[in-house]
Amino acid sequence: MLISSIGLSFSSAALMKQAPANSMSFDGAGDFVAFTETTFNIEDTGDFLTIAFWAKRTDNNDEAVILGNSATGSFKRLYFDSDGDRLIMEGDANGQDASGVVTADTDWHHYAITLVGVSGGAQAVVVFYEDGNAVSTTITNLGVNNNKDFTVNRIGADVVGGTREFKGLLYQVAIWNAKLEANEVSAIFNSGIPIPLQSNRGNYVSAGNLAHLWRFDEGSGSTASDSVGNLNGTITNATFSTTTPTS
């Protein structure tokens, strides 16, 4: 009995250290994952935020929302532009955003956005990453307005359907209440081999600041659990896929 208990404990621990085996598939036809509307502070000193995810887009001809808000289709979102070559984060104040130049193709890529708020009406310090490397980033007043932050409640869509919904696969969508350093972003990209994010590994030392993580590892059903927070998502039309960055 003792040996059996030890074996079970070891197996459970080993399972927790594995990267998820599923992604979430979106076809751009009314599919999204909805969770409780949540605001992430970006406008003040001491506000830190990192968002990271893997994406494999099926085309680059339309805007493609990663995180959005069901109340608006013009801001409060993180999305690829209609040419597929720019990833844009728009805050709660219309016209205040930041963007990074990315590759427009249909391959798997890892993306990360780090943000540090600055008080006194100054814009936030933002860096965009693709596949572990910082890319050319433009900041246009994101974080300037007091009490205008980043408020979202959906993965894969905002209020507008069709040409703004994400089309393709999303994998391991994560949000930290910390700024990941460049070597941490490189570590979680891991040369294209995803690592589990719930425990520190190598240069990645911010597992304790991980606030939300949608692993999509359920494989079936209508729920996408938040593995570390309380933002469990309800799936509408999107489906689980066994296609991942390593498959």
Side-chain angles (χ1 to χ4, degrees), residues 12-201:
S12 298
L15 191 61
M16 285 296 294
K17 293 180 180 179
Q18 295 175 359
N22 295 298
S23 60
M24 187 62 69
S25 177
F26 303 82
D27 64 7
D31 45 357
F32 54 87
V33 178
F35 54 85
T36 301
E37 185 175 79
T38 302
T39 296
F40 300 94
N41 296 331
I42 63 172
E43 94 292 352
D44 210 350
T45 298
D47 291 344
F48 301 98
L49 179 67
T50 297
I51 301 170
F53 61 95
W54 296 80
K56 178 178 173 62
R57 292 172 279 169
T58 55
D59 70 60
N60 297 285
N61 300 315
D62 297 313
E63 293 181 0
V65 174
I66 305 301
L67 292 169
N69 193 300
S70 59
T72 176
S74 60
F75 52 106
K76 298 184 181 182
R77 59 180 179 156
L78 173 66
Y79 71 105
F80 294 100
D81 71 357
S82 57
D83 292 323
D85 58 4
R86 190 171 290 273
L87 181 60
I88 304 170
M89 179 179 180
E90 294 181 326
D92 292 353
N94 205 356
Q96 298 187 8
D97 58 60
S99 64
V101 176
V102 297
T103 304
D105 61 22
T106 56
D107 297 330
W108 277 110
H109 291 286
H110 181 261
Y111 303 94
I113 306 96
T114 66
L115 182 148
V116 178
V118 182
S119 298
Q123 63 188 15
V125 178
V126 186
V127 181
F128 283 75
Y129 295 84
E130 180 183 62
D131 295 340
N133 297 307
V135 300
S136 177
T137 298
T138 301
I139 308 168
T140 307
N141 295 323
L142 185 64
V144 166
N145 281 18
N146 190 37
N147 297 322
K148 294 293 184 179
D149 295 292
F150 183 62
T151 304
V152 290
N153 64 2
R154 284 185 175 182
I155 298 172
D158 53 25
V159 67
V160 180
T163 58
R164 284 183 176 165
E165 293 183 358
F166 182 81
K167 294 183 284 294
L169 302 173
L170 291 177
Y171 179 83
Q172 200 162 236
V173 178
I175 301 176
W176 291 259
N177 56 10
K179 172 187 174 288
L180 266 63
E181 300 299 333
N183 61 350
E184 292 187 275
V185 175
S186 179
I188 62 176
F189 169 60
N190 193 36
S191 300
I193 302 174
I195 66 170
L197 301 176
Q198 292 160 282
S199 58
N200 293 332
R201 175 174 172 176

